[in-house]
Amino acid sequence: MQMVSAAKYAKAERDLKSARPYGQGAKAFYEKAEIISDPQKPKHLLIAMTSDRGLCGAVHSSIAKMIRHDMAAKPSGTETMIVCVGDKSRSILGRLFPKNILLQVTDIGKKPPTFADASRIAEAISQSGYEFDFCQMYYNYFKSVVAYNTSTIPLFNTSTISASDKITVYDSIDQEVLESFNEFSLASLIYYAMKEGACSEQSARMTAMDSASKNAGEMIDKLTLNFNRTRQAVITRELIEIISGAAALK
């Protein structure tokens, strides 16, 4: 599995370089337009970006842990729904917050994520009928082969974007254009988060399998030494019995 993960990691890292402009472009627009959503508003949406596959350390559990912490810190009266992308987040968060699960997306992680996959997830969120006031997407940001950061990206609805004072600096901005752009930005950010998560997952699995191989080797060495000591003790005891018996006959 370490060798397979190493090959998949190399491909995921190459794909990530071409996927990062999608997310960076959308985030730059929101930052330049100074679009901010109020976390004190009542309807929140949290999106957990994981996959269906395990054996990769704390990649998935770190996202669930951060969501669990943020859920506990929500002010009273807040209605919070969760979108679980990947079976790992569904299994953890579905057990902790079964009444807060809005959507579940599976079959993630078996193949490299594509923009079409992100578009289907974005469409499912848009058509869910849940009108959120505040939204955050939780994902793993890839730093290096041995490091990643569990981070969040804010997402906005069309009304929040149109209410920004600086949105008027862009030409030809009407409601239809905003809705189209927001749908594309949502898909772009989901695609970006999926690519970051896939690269972090493969690097973490490669590291985890390397550690597992080393631990298994150490265990085999200890068991072999214990077996050899036991075998030598049995041989020594049998020799002592044979010598003692021969001496008694004399």
Side-chain angles (χ1 to χ4, degrees):
M1 285 189 67
Q2 181 187 357
M3 295 176 65
V4 172
S5 295
K8 290 184 177 180
Y9 160 73
K11 185 178 186 305
E13 188 178 24
R14 290 195 303 268
D15 293 344
L16 178 59
K17 293 180 181 179
S18 60
R20 274 183 168 167
Y22 285 87
Q24 292 170 349
K27 289 193 293 184
F29 168 77
Y30 293 141
E31 291 171 1
K32 295 296 182 181
E34 296 183 359
I35 301 171
I36 301 174
S37 55
D38 186 4
Q40 299 300 321
K41 290 186 177 181
K43 302 186 74 173
H44 292 197
L45 180 66
L46 309 181
I47 305 174
M49 302 299 297
T50 61
S51 75
D52 293 355
R53 305 186 65 199
L55 298 177
C56 50
V59 166
H60 303 317
S61 59
S62 62
I63 291 177
K65 183 178 180 180
M66 182 178 284
I67 291 179
R68 182 177 62 184
H69 178 269
D70 290 351
M71 287 285 288
K74 295 290 183 185
S76 59
T78 302
E79 179 188 353
T80 305
M81 302 303 291
I82 302 173
V83 175
C84 296
V85 179
D87 190 62
K88 291 300 178 180
S89 60
R90 181 199 61 80
S91 61
I92 300 173
L93 298 174
R95 184 176 65 254
L96 297 173
F97 311 105
K99 296 181 180 179
N100 299 91
I101 304 299
L102 177 66
L103 288 174
Q104 301 173 10
V105 182
T106 56
D107 293 332
I108 301 297
K110 297 179 181 178
K111 296 181 179 179
T114 63
F115 193 84
D117 298 331
S119 299
R120 285 191 287 269
I121 296 172
E123 184 179 8
I125 295 173
S126 301
Q127 295 181 354
S128 65
Y130 186 73
E131 298 293 336
F132 59 85
D133 300 314
F134 178 82
C135 180
Q136 278 188 321
M137 180 167 58
Y138 296 74
Y139 73 108
N140 288 309
Y141 176 79
F142 175 77
K143 292 180 64 179
S144 68
V145 68
V146 293
Y148 61 88
N149 281 341
T150 303
S151 309
T152 61
I153 299 176
L155 301 176
F156 307 96
N157 55 24
T158 306
S159 59
T160 302
I161 297 175
S162 60
S164 174
D165 295 334
K166 289 195 173 183
I167 198 67
T168 55
V169 300
Y170 295 93
D171 294 333
S172 302
I173 295 295
D174 55 24
Q175 191 67 18
E176 185 178 353
V177 172
L178 276 180
E179 290 179 358
S180 299
F181 176 79
N182 198 31
E183 290 174 1
F184 178 76
S185 297
L186 178 60
S188 298
L189 288 171
I190 290 175
Y191 175 65
Y192 162 74
M194 292 175 75
K195 284 295 186 182
E196 290 280 1
C199 195
S200 301
E201 179 183 337
Q202 295 299 341
S203 64
R205 181 175 292 110
M206 185 173 59
T207 303
M209 291 301 101
D210 181 56
S211 299
S213 298
K214 290 180 180 178
N215 293 336
E218 292 176 1
M219 184 182 298
I220 290 171
D221 292 340
K222 290 180 181 179
L223 291 174
T224 301
L225 181 60
N226 189 29
F227 171 77
N228 289 335
R229 286 176 176 175
T230 304
R231 183 172 61 89
Q232 187 64 43
V234 171
I235 293 172
T236 303
R237 186 175 64 250
E238 290 178 352
L239 288 174
I240 292 173
E241 291 174 354
I242 292 169
I243 294 170
S244 300
L249 291 175
K250 294 179 180 179

